[in-house]
Each structure stands twice: as C-alpha cells, then as structure tokens.
Amino acid sequence: MKKKPYFIFSIITSLMLLLAACGTADENTQSGSGAEGDNAPETKTLRVVTDAAYAPFESLEGDKIVGFDIDFINAVAEEAGYELEIENVGWDPIFVEIESKRADLAVSAITITEERKQSYDFSHPYFLSTNKILVPEDSDIQSAEDLKDQVVAVQGGTTGDAAVEGLLGKNNTNIKKFDNNNLAIQELLQGGAAAVVADNTVIEEYVANNPDQGLKVVEDTHAFELEFYGILFPKDSELKAEFDEALNTVFENGTYAEIYQEWFGSEPDIETLQSQQ
Ligand code: ARG
C-alpha cells in the first residue's frame, strides 16, 4: 500500500527526465549543431590585447572597453570569421603578450614602425596619425624646437616618446615617461610638465572634451612624421593574411566608413590608406 505512490512518482520522474533529454536534443538541432553537430566548425575565439587608456581608440567605460579600435577590430574579425576576447593589459605588456604568442593579436592605436617590424607582423595600415603637442593655452611653445629645454611628459615606449627623445636626447631627464597617456596628461595639468607629445586624434579629442582645462594643441608637420596604425601580430602569424583580406573587405563594403563616421563624424581617406599596402 505504501509502494504505490512511490511507483507512480518514479514513473513521472522518469518521463520528465526523458522529456528534458529530448528538449536538449531539440535545442541542439535548432542552434545549428544538429545530428552532425560534433563535426560542425566552431567559431574560434582569439585573444586580443590592448591598452585601454587612449580614447577615442580604446578606453574603459566602467569595465567595458570601448572605442574606434574596438568597433573596427570586431568588424574585421567578424568578416574573417572569428570571435574576439579583448583584454586590457596595458601598453608595455601588449608587446610581451604578442611576442610570447599568449595573445593572437593587439589593437591599440599601434604605429607601424621599422623597428617594431623586426619583431612583429602588422596588418595593412588602417588609420592615419601623427604626433602633436599638448600645452596649456598660455604656453609659448609653438613648435617641436621649443620643447628642447622644457619638461615633456610622454607615454613611455610610444612614437611620441621616441620623437621627444630625438629632440631632447635619449637620456634627458626632462623627459617624464608614464605607463599610460592619461597619466602624462595629469602631469601636465598638475604643472609637472610643460607639454605632452602624443597622437593627434587623442589630444585633439581630449581638448575638445575638456574645454574647461585650458589646454591647446600645437602641430609641427615638419618635426613629426606621418604614421599609420596597424593590427599587431606575432611574427609569421597566419592570421595576418586573413585579417588583411577582411580589412580590405570592410574598407570596400562601407563598414569601415560607417564606424569611422560614428567616432569621428567625417569620411575616412581609404584611398590613402590602401595606397600604403
Ligand atoms: N601610436 C603610438 C605608438 O604606436 C601611441 C600608441 C599608444 N596607444 C595606446 N593605446 N596607449 O607608439
């Protein structure tokens, strides 16, 4: 007499388990893995590293990494058939992570230079840049030449750092080097430096977004070279060819221009970029 309810209960439980199992199988079919699900190609996730202290290219919004570079690399990766996991590791660690192949690629407003090309591979150029000088509004600094006997703050290991070393001398203690560009700007705001040298788009955006901080941008097209950003890969990475092809597709199908418009409100010069390939 006591056994009956238990028996019914166990039948119901078994039925429920059976239904649940069917449900799972069904869901698998719908999600596309199907009967041959085990053989279906899975989208590969690549590990991407960046230094998210370089708005508008990459910066943190809460714990989310946002910026032109982020939208750009997601569009190119989607075209190439990859998913991305983007991690904010800081500037110097980017190069360690890529060289040791712990990361698959880096996007971080990284200028393609001959020196870096010795140790890394770059994609085709995707952005045009040059260094400019950020100074207080009332500064007398009008050119790179005027930086020579001044204290200049830079992000260490950048092309801005190299340009200032070229002007002031490699070991000049007047060059204050910081781990990220925001710290260099803080030093300027606190009066610890007379200028910051960094990528034009970054400091122009900074001035536009902080009109109350009394800063201005000085350009010197003679002293500072034209630079191009590229996606950074470990040397001989097979991803380079795939990403170069996908990059040209997003250049040509309007996706790049759309992302560029969103972030900069103007048309990109794709012709100039492609002429560098
Ligand atoms: N374009 C410069 C360089 O490659 C500065 C890049 C700094 N980027 C960054 N995310 N902090 O040296």
Side-chain angles (χ1 to χ4, degrees):
M1 211 175 114
K2 269 191 177 163
K3 266 189 174 167
K4 227 177 179 181
Y6 176 75
F7 183 60
I8 291 172
F9 176 70
S10 78
I11 286 182
I12 292 175
T13 312
S14 308
L15 272 174
M16 277 167 70
L17 281 173
L18 197 71
L19 280 172
C22 290
T24 313
D26 252 32
E27 269 160 37
N28 280 346
T29 313
Q30 278 166 16
S31 74
S33 4
E36 288 100 8
D38 291 347
N39 302 326
E42 244 184 62
T43 316
K44 199 182 164 207
T45 302
L46 302 176
R47 180 164 182 258
V48 182
V49 288
T50 192
D51 169 31
Y54 219 57
F57 295 101
E58 44 270 327
S59 62
L60 289 176
E61 241 176 55
D63 52 12
K64 205 171 165 240
I65 307 171
V66 299
F68 171 81
D69 275 353
I70 308 304
D71 291 350
F72 161 74
I73 200 66
N74 276 318
V76 177
E78 192 183 337
E79 186 58 45
Y82 290 100
E83 304 231 325
L84 302 180
E85 202 177 280
I86 306 178
E87 199 183 321
N88 178 27
V89 297
W91 180 248
D92 288 337
I94 286 176
F95 297 90
V96 180
E97 294 286 309
I98 297 293
E99 193 154 16
S100 65
K101 299 194 166 80
R102 278 199 296 267
D104 298 294
L105 59 104
V107 66
S108 204
I110 305 170
T111 301
I112 303 168
T113 68
E114 283 310 315
E115 200 191 334
R116 290 173 184 160
K117 272 161 77 177
Q118 309 287 311
S119 318
Y120 309 93
D121 278 348
F122 280 100
S123 68
H124 290 319
Y126 71 86
F127 198 88
L128 216 99
S129 176
T130 189
N131 276 289
K132 286 192 182 176
I133 310 166
L134 180 66
V135 291
E137 239 156 29
D138 58 1
S139 169
D140 292 333
I141 294 167
Q142 284 170 6
S143 68
E145 194 65 25
D146 293 340
L147 294 174
K148 285 197 166 153
D149 44 27
Q150 301 285 345
V151 175
V152 185
V154 294
Q155 179 179 15
T158 60
T159 55
D161 180 9
V164 175
E165 282 184 347
L167 291 163
L168 275 69
K170 207 171 167 56
N171 298 314
N172 193 323
T173 50
N174 274 348
I175 310 173
K176 288 192 176 174
K177 303 186 185 204
F178 294 87
D179 280 349
N180 75 53
N181 196 58
N182 294 336
L183 294 173
I185 296 177
Q186 285 312 309
E187 188 70 7
L188 174 69
L189 290 170
Q190 286 160 19
V196 168
V197 173
D199 292 1
N200 62 322
T201 313
V202 171
I203 58 176
E204 276 156 4
E205 279 262 329
Y206 186 86
V207 169
N209 291 337
N210 299 279
D212 52 329
Q213 292 186 353
L215 299 174
K216 67 178 178 187
V217 176
V218 174
E219 73 168 9
D220 189 332
T221 51
H222 184 71
F224 301 121
E225 288 169 12
L226 199 61
E227 302 181 8
F228 294 93
Y229 296 165
I231 306 164
L232 189 80
F233 300 98
K235 199 113 197 99
D236 300 322
S237 165
E238 282 169 10
L239 291 171
K240 175 185 154 53
E242 294 175 45
F243 273 67
D244 275 346
E245 195 187 327
L247 171 56
N248 273 330
T249 305
V250 302
F251 271 158
E252 281 151 23
N253 70 10
T255 306
Y256 179 90
E258 213 173 278
I259 297 168
Y260 193 100
Q261 268 288 353
E262 256 171 55
W263 285 96
F264 306 113
S266 59
E267 279 295 311
D269 184 354
I270 290 173
E271 214 174 297
T272 301
L273 290 170
Q274 284 193 309
S275 74
Q276 299 294 316
Q277 294 184 3

